[in-house]
Amino acid sequence: MFKSKTLRHAVVASLATLSLSSSVMASDEPIKVGMMLPFSGVYGALGDATRNGLKMALQEQASNLHGRKIEYIEIDTEARPERAPEIASSLLNNSEADFIIGPVHSGVAMGMLKVLRGQDTVMIVPNAGAGPVTGPLCSPNVFRTSFSSWQPSYPMGHVALEKGYKKVVTMSWNYGMGKESLDAFEESFTAGGGEIVKKILVPFPKTEFQAYLSEIASINPDAVFVFFAGGGAVKFVKDYDALGLKGKIPLLGSGFLTEGTLEAQGESAEGILTTLHYADSLDNELNTQFRSAYKQQFGKASDIYAVQGYDTGLMIASAVNQLGGDISNQNALIKALESTTVRSPRGDFTFSTAHNPVQNIYLRTVENGENKVVEIAAPALADPARGCKL
């Protein structure tokens, strides 16, 4: 399935009648890291944070790269899925990137997979949660360092049951990430005896929520579970409060409901419960060090996207170190990546057979404008990776 870079190097060497050791060759050639991230548009800040975290980790780990330099090839996807195959093909065939990092947007991820699955590169997804990436479209050369859409939402079903909620309304935009998140919550909630009394799917990217919230008020469920992010999350939370639902019907969500949105949501967000694989307030030494170093280097606070980029860099450095700097044998590189334990600001995590993180999911509550960790809602949670044949 995979072309051998070792063989390609051997052919070149024999033609030139050279006798170079693989260790010398490894130190002379840079490791090429291609980035397919949004650096402009609505997701530009997310791409920038991911890039910052990735470069920061590889700078910190320079002594573990066995003399290898890093060459970055950065391409702005503009979060446009239709551009993904062309960009991925360029990084694969023209740049011959050893690693291709991206994307943020799940639609772009699907376009990348069409080109990169089973090819002579390693694709690492630092954000996009699309289930098929580590599900039915999984591949030996594809890894993810963030989350599957299933992971943050599934534990909240158990949380809701523990709080005595029996009837819940779920709501999201009508697109992949939203629907997969609602399905994950429903899976755990109904398995424990809960009932979804209404599922509301809003056309994307509509943010006129008043009619839907009036319907929820008339249903009067025990709680509401939602997936919204970014500007939509800000608008939803403020509308939920303005229409008088806050304090009457508890609001639960996938962690992106209150991630990077709290300043804009203000008092309306207080008391919301979410589940996610990270929180800025995580009380561990690595997180404290990371946040301080990031702020000093980039002049702004880190976020979950910076953490995911950072962890991607740590993962690459670990594999390069395990292999003594020689990553020319792709099967050996994949095995090194699979065996990596990432010492992350979010807590240590490993990789499942499908190459998705096996990680803690934290229950968080908004308190004084911050996502405060209540507890670990699901320790070392592995995505079920349905349909993956690895």
Side-chain angles (χ1 to χ4, degrees):
M1 175 184 288
F2 302 108
K3 295 177 290 184
S4 172
K5 291 182 181 175
T6 303
L7 177 60
R8 187 163 68 240
H9 292 157
V11 171
V12 172
S14 64
L15 288 174
T17 64
L18 297 174
S19 178
L20 295 173
S21 70
S22 61
S23 61
V24 172
M25 290 180 68
S27 64
D28 287 347
E29 296 179 2
I31 296 172
K32 295 184 178 182
V33 177
M35 295 190 209
M36 287 185 60
L37 295 167
F39 298 122
S40 61
V42 67
Y43 292 123
L46 281 59
D48 184 58
T50 303
R51 171 175 56 187
N52 289 346
L54 173 69
K55 290 186 174 182
M56 180 175 158
L58 288 171
Q59 288 168 1
E60 290 178 355
Q61 296 294 316
S63 62
N64 291 324
L65 300 180
H66 295 265
R68 301 295 298 270
K69 304 299 182 183
I70 305 294
E71 177 184 335
Y72 296 103
I73 309 108
E74 304 175 14
I75 302 180
D76 183 2
T77 65
E78 303 172 16
R80 290 169 54 190
E82 68 273 16
R83 296 198 64 211
E86 177 187 357
I87 296 173
S89 180
S90 175
L91 287 173
L92 174 67
N93 298 312
N94 299 335
S95 302
E96 295 187 337
D98 299 295
F99 299 93
I100 298 179
I101 313 304
V104 165
H105 187 287
S106 286
V108 176
M110 302 307 287
M112 291 175 67
L113 284 171
K114 291 178 182 178
V115 175
L116 300 179
R117 288 179 73 230
Q119 296 299 315
D120 191 18
T121 189
V122 173
M123 174 180 168
I124 305 178
V125 179
N127 187 68
V133 172
T134 51
L137 296 181
C138 68
S139 175
N141 70 316
V142 177
F143 289 79
R144 177 155 45 199
T145 52
S146 52
F147 59 94
S148 71
S149 56
W150 181 92
Q151 278 180 303
S153 297
Y154 181 82
M156 188 58 89
H158 295 298
V159 172
L161 291 167
E162 288 171 358
K163 290 189 170 297
Y165 306 147
K166 294 180 170 55
K167 297 180 182 295
V168 169
V169 170
T170 62
M171 182 174 172
S172 174
W173 280 314
N174 188 14
Y175 70 157
M177 182 70 185
K179 291 189 288 187
E180 289 175 11
S181 297
L182 298 194
D183 288 346
F185 172 84
E186 182 175 344
E187 180 183 341
S188 58
F189 185 62
T190 57
E195 178 186 357
I196 305 299
V197 293
K198 179 82 174 181
K199 179 187 287 188
I200 300 172
L201 294 174
V202 181
F204 179 79
K206 181 178 179 180
T207 58
E208 297 302 319
F209 299 125
Q210 289 87 344
Y212 303 108
L213 292 172
S214 295
E215 183 181 5
I216 290 173
S218 68
I219 295 171
N220 193 29
D222 296 329
V224 174
F225 174 84
V226 302
F227 176 89
F228 290 107
V234 173
K235 181 69 160 49
F236 181 84
V237 167
K238 292 183 79 70
D239 285 355
Y240 198 87
D241 184 14
L243 269 68
L245 275 66
K246 179 186 175 183
K248 294 181 180 177
I249 304 174
L251 181 57
L252 318 174
S254 168
F256 296 99
L257 183 66
T258 59
E259 193 66 28
T261 58
L262 286 173
E263 184 175 351
Q265 288 164 337
E267 286 290 326
S268 297
E270 290 291 309
I272 293 175
L273 286 174
T274 61
T275 39
L276 199 62
H277 56 294
Y278 179 69
D280 293 339
S281 64
L282 270 178
D283 186 15
N284 67 61
E285 185 176 356
L286 279 177
N287 190 44
T288 301
Q289 292 174 351
F290 167 76
R291 290 179 60 77
S292 175
Y294 188 95
K295 181 72 176 290
Q296 183 174 3
Q297 184 166 342
F298 300 106
K300 54 188 173 183
S302 61
D303 57 19
I304 192 169
Y305 307 103
V307 171
Q308 291 170 167
Y310 185 76
D311 292 343
T312 301
L314 293 180
M315 177 190 184
I316 292 172
S318 174
V320 173
N321 189 30
Q322 288 181 59
L323 296 173
D326 182 4
I327 61 170
S328 59
N329 184 314
Q330 191 180 43
N331 287 330
L333 175 58
I334 288 170
K335 288 180 181 178
L337 292 166
E338 289 174 335
S339 67
T340 296
T341 296
V342 179
R343 309 296 183 188
S344 167
R346 75 181 91 164
D348 294 357
F349 68 89
T350 58
F351 291 93
S352 68
T353 303
H355 298 169
N356 195 72
V358 179
Q359 60 190 335
N360 294 337
I361 303 296
Y362 302 96
L363 176 63
R364 317 170 323 163
T365 185
V366 179
E367 184 179 306
N368 298 321
E370 294 185 0
N371 287 304
K372 297 288 188 180
V373 176
V374 177
E375 64 185 14
I376 298 176
L381 182 65
D383 178 271
R386 297 181 179 103
C388 180
K389 303 300 183 184
L390 291 180

